[in-house]
Amino acid sequence: MENLNLKLIFRFLGITAILNGFFMWLTIPFSLYFEEKAVLGILNSGIITIFLGLILFFFNKPDNKNLKKKEGYLIVTLGWVTLTITGMLPYLMTGSIPSITDALFETISGYSTTGSSILTDIESMPKGILFWRSATHWIGGMGIIVLTIAILPLLGIGGMQLFMAEAPGPSTDKLHPRITDTAKRLWLIYVGLTIIEFLLLKVAGMTWFDAINHAMATVSTGGFSTKNASVAYWNNSPFIQYIILFFMFIAGANFVLVYFALKGKIRKVIQSEEFRYYFFGVLLITAIISVAILFFKDPSLVTTINHPEVLGHTESTIRHTLFSVISVITTTGFVSADFTTWSFFVTAVFFALFFSGGSAGSTSGGVKIVRHIVMLKNSFLEFKKALHPNAIIPVRYDGKAVQQTIVFNIISFFILYMLIFIMGSVILAMMGLDFQSAIGACASSLGNIGPAIGSVSPVDNFSHLSASAKVFCSFLMLIGRLELFTVLILFTPFFWKKN
């Protein structure tokens, strides 16, 4: 086996734990403000996490600071494991989620920005813990590893390998030639969008606490809410839902394009092939579902969460349809209505959207739109090649030829994704879930979506799953968040062989 720079790996894990501990302490003011007993458990969780991080950091000073690709993959995967193990502590030490299995599920669901939950009464939870749930989304959204890259120059360590392993999707666009400056710009955009949405939601009528939690969950495309009914709680406040809807859409777009838009380079946004598919795809699917609901609805099926009047007229129908479509495509998972009750056709359409995903370079999960574009173009080219076998016709994306290795990588990713979905569904069925719930839970966990179908629909949660099923779904959420290869490559024998 190739010698790994273990001290460098442990040092990175130490940085990850230290940052996570400080994020925990950011929840203390909320517990103090609401005069909660949970403050002591949160304080102790932060102390333990930071102490662990300091030990890993100061007792592992590497002689060689060169970061190789193998070490990059290990650091990203083990970094997420470190986040999960330490992130469970506030739940366990406050007694909010006493079960280790449940705390594991809720923690990974947070960091992976999935938004699935085992909590049956969210509103009874301490406010400090609710803020910590949202914070795990916010940390995981852009990736704490990317945040770490922004401070790596202080340590004299380059971080390109980490960014390539962590950056969501097959996007090669960069905002700046230096990767650390790219990470800083991404985080500035991320923080800025969060603050703007928070202010707008406050003006629209949310309490400041609800506003900050939903802003963090929206920009990270996470989906944890402070209300049992999720965003359906504000079904009588269309302005609030339109604000969340808009920021979900922005968060599901490539952050590089968001940067260009903020710089006034709108032409770059319009010229992006992926953005055009994303934008017009959302509009087309919304139109199809809205027409199906308005003109072909089954009165015995059309109900919504605590608000049967939601589909009463055209505006509310379009709003809730658009909200649900964007929520699923961006893998945010917020719920304004239960789409599984609109019709069997609509349910099937939403299930198909589970496999779409947002844009590459966004905080959303799933397969990603760019992969679908490349696969479809490659498939059509196969027809041309059947007629003209000697012709050399490359796949073109954004007007440029795509390297064949990238096409093969995308096809391999999709095949592996679908194989994991099939095998995962079978495993969950073996663990006691019915067919619809098994495929729903597997697709939702792997795609980091949140609400699914069957017994894990938008009005249900994952609390009824067995302990083994929760652990398995947690694993699916992790590999889905890190784009399969980053984690699964560690289980291959050639990864550990000497080059």
Side-chain angles (χ1 to χ4, degrees):
M1 184 182 76
E2 182 180 359
N3 290 329
L4 293 170
N5 194 338
L6 295 178
K7 286 188 176 182
L8 183 62
I9 294 172
F10 286 132
R11 196 171 176 87
F12 271 104
L13 299 184
I15 296 171
T16 302
I18 292 168
L19 291 173
N20 206 32
F22 279 116
F23 271 109
M24 288 179 194
W25 281 351
L26 290 179
T27 67
I28 291 176
F30 294 89
S31 285
L32 290 174
Y33 179 82
F34 291 103
E35 300 179 350
E36 297 172 336
K37 296 179 180 178
V39 64
L40 187 60
I42 295 172
L43 175 65
N44 290 334
S45 299
I47 291 173
I48 293 171
T49 303
I50 292 174
F51 181 71
L52 173 64
L54 290 173
I55 291 175
L56 289 171
F57 183 80
F58 285 109
F59 286 90
N60 289 284
K61 190 171 183 180
D63 298 323
N64 181 9
K65 294 183 179 181
N66 291 326
L67 185 65
K68 293 175 289 206
K69 182 169 284 189
K70 284 188 177 182
E71 286 152 355
Y73 283 117
L74 272 171
I75 288 171
V76 170
T77 302
L78 294 179
W80 233 256
V81 173
T82 302
L83 286 176
T84 300
I85 293 173
T86 56
M88 293 167 57
L89 293 178
Y91 297 128
L92 296 171
M93 298 193 72
T94 61
S96 302
I97 305 178
S99 165
I100 292 178
T101 304
D102 287 348
L104 172 72
F105 183 95
E106 199 77 11
T107 304
I108 290 188
S109 180
Y111 285 121
S112 64
T113 70
T114 302
S116 301
S117 181
I118 49 81
L119 297 177
T120 55
D121 188 2
I122 296 170
E123 294 172 32
S124 67
M125 298 290 287
K127 295 293 193 295
I129 292 299
L130 290 181
F131 182 80
W132 174 241
R133 286 173 81 233
S134 301
T136 59
H137 270 344
W138 203 75
I139 296 167
M142 185 61 68
I144 198 168
I145 308 300
V146 176
L147 174 62
T148 304
I149 290 171
I151 64 171
L152 288 185
L154 301 176
L155 309 175
I157 303 172
M160 184 62 171
Q161 290 89 340
L162 282 184
F163 185 82
M164 293 305 293
E166 167 61 19
S171 176
T172 56
D173 290 329
K174 298 291 182 291
L175 311 186
H176 195 276
R178 294 183 60 191
I179 197 68
T180 50
D181 289 329
T182 294
K184 290 174 184 176
R185 281 164 172 76
L186 290 174
W187 269 92
L188 283 173
I189 295 171
Y190 195 63
V191 173
L193 289 175
T194 305
I195 293 173
I196 293 170
E197 185 184 359
F198 161 70
L199 294 174
L200 289 174
L201 289 175
K202 183 68 178 69
V203 170
M206 272 192 182
T207 65
W208 66 268
F209 182 76
D210 289 333
I212 193 169
N213 279 274
H214 284 82
M216 293 168 74
T218 304
V219 175
S220 64
T221 63
F224 277 155
S225 177
T226 56
K227 303 298 182 183
N228 292 329
S230 188
V231 182
Y233 181 88
W234 290 279
N235 273 352
N236 292 323
S237 303
F239 187 36
I240 287 177
Q241 295 185 340
Y242 279 120
I243 292 171
I244 295 175
L245 180 156
F246 173 77
F247 279 92
M248 279 196 299
F249 181 83
I250 296 298
N254 190 325
F255 267 55
V256 174
L257 294 181
V258 176
Y259 174 79
F260 287 142
L262 293 173
K263 295 283 287 184
K265 299 178 180 179
I266 305 299
R267 179 173 292 183
K268 279 186 172 289
V269 179
I270 298 173
Q271 288 175 342
S272 169
E273 200 169 342
E274 183 182 37
F275 183 79
R276 293 200 300 271
Y277 273 87
Y278 176 47
F279 180 77
F280 291 110
V282 166
L283 294 182
L284 178 62
I285 295 166
T286 300
I288 292 171
I289 294 176
S290 297
V291 169
I293 293 171
L294 288 170
F295 300 104
F296 303 100
K297 62 187 178 182
D298 181 346
S300 66
L301 292 175
V302 179
T303 58
T304 54
I305 305 173
N306 301 326
H307 293 273
E309 77 283 0
V310 162
L311 302 180
H313 56 85
T314 303
E315 185 277 330
S316 61
T317 298
I318 295 174
R319 168 164 41 96
H320 288 284
T321 301
L322 182 61
F323 188 100
S324 298
V325 168
I326 293 178
S327 181
V328 171
I329 287 180
T330 62
T331 72
T332 304
F334 275 140
V335 176
S336 70
D338 184 1
F339 57 77
T340 64
T341 62
W342 292 350
S343 77
F344 297 123
F345 165 74
V346 171
T347 302
V349 172
F350 273 105
F351 183 71
L353 292 179
F354 284 7
F355 300 91
S356 62
S359 303
S362 71
T363 58
S364 61
V367 177
K368 301 293 190 304
I369 295 170
V370 63
R371 288 194 176 101
H372 288 291
I373 294 173
V374 172
M375 285 189 295
L376 284 172
K377 288 191 171 187
N378 186 68
S379 298
F380 284 123
L381 283 181
E382 290 301 319
F383 290 118
K384 287 186 178 181
K385 291 176 183 177
L387 296 174
H388 308 283
N390 296 323
I392 300 175
I393 314 172
V395 175
R396 305 191 73 83
Y397 174 75
D398 276 348
K400 300 175 182 177
V402 179
Q403 294 179 12
Q404 200 64 30
T405 53
I406 295 177
V407 176
F408 290 153
N409 178 277
I410 288 174
I411 294 173
S412 299
F413 176 91
F414 187 72
I415 292 172
L416 184 60
Y417 192 96
M418 296 308 297
L419 281 174
I420 294 173
F421 164 67
I422 294 168
M423 293 170 60
S425 299
V426 172
I427 291 172
L428 286 174
M430 290 171 60
M431 292 177 175
L433 274 71
D434 63 86
F435 173 73
Q436 194 175 19
S437 302
I439 63 173
C442 186
S444 173
S445 299
L446 188 60
N448 306 133
I449 294 161
I453 59 175
S455 63
V456 286
S457 71
V459 293
D460 299 297
N461 63 19
F462 287 67
S463 61
H464 63 281
L465 269 64
S466 65
S468 58
K470 289 173 184 174
V471 171
F472 183 67
C473 285
S474 299
F475 175 70
L476 292 176
M477 287 188 278
L478 177 64
I479 63 173
R481 172 62 182 88
L482 297 180
E483 303 254 316
L484 305 187
F485 292 132
T486 306
V487 178
L488 296 182
I489 196 173
L490 303 184
F491 294 94
T492 59
F494 48 82
F495 178 84
W496 303 99
K497 288 182 180 179
K498 190 172 183 179
N499 292 335

